[in-house]
Amino acid sequence: MNNIHINYDQLLQEVDLYISACKTMDGILSDITGLLKSKVYHYDWVGFYLLDKDQSILILGPFSGKPTEHTQIQVGKGVCGQVAENNQLKIVQDISQEGNYIACSIDVQSEIVVPILKDGQFVAEIDIDSHSPAPFTLEDEIFLTSICQKLSVLF
Ligand code: SME
């Protein structure tokens, strides 16, 4: 029901256009955060974390939503760090049930993090917070995984 008004196919086409535009990687990622936050009502904060391999740290890249103090996250810490460690998409439908969680805002109820892999190696991830309880569906998983696959050409 959440996704009834969302045309995911059209959004994917817009992502393709953004990727093929002659912009910097930051410019493209920034455009995509804006697109997703404005078009998908249960996405309240959309951002990218990029891996600094030497330090095993995730560095906050472009984002849309309220500024966060978590501009660096250790691999393994929080939901973002877990995804960086095991390369698996993770959905937390109720953040109060997640033991390894880094709180950003009291409004957040749920979170999805999807890895971007380059030649099978983790390079970055998309992190989405929602103020809705348990909003994420298989459709979100397929949609965001497709975006992350498309974005791997940028790395
Ligand atoms: N909640 C995340 C931290 C990043 S903020 O959501 C922007 C986590 O547990 O890794």
Side-chain angles (χ1 to χ4, degrees), residues 68-83:
T68 172
E69 64 192 39
H70 303 295
T71 55
Q72 297 197 355
I73 296 175
Q74 197 75 39
V75 169
K77 296 278 167 60
V79 182
C80 292
Q82 292 176 61
V83 171

Side-chain angles (χ1 to χ4, degrees), residues 45 49 60 68 70 73 77-82 98 100-104 108 111 113 125 127-129:
W45 188 93
Y49 281 94
L60 180 63
T68 172
H70 303 295
I73 296 175
K77 296 278 167 60
V79 182
C80 292
Q82 292 176 61
E98 172 63 43
N100 188 359
Y101 176 72
I102 301 166
C104 275
V108 176
E111 177 162 4
V113 181
E125 64 191 19
D127 176 23
I128 297 176
D129 289 340

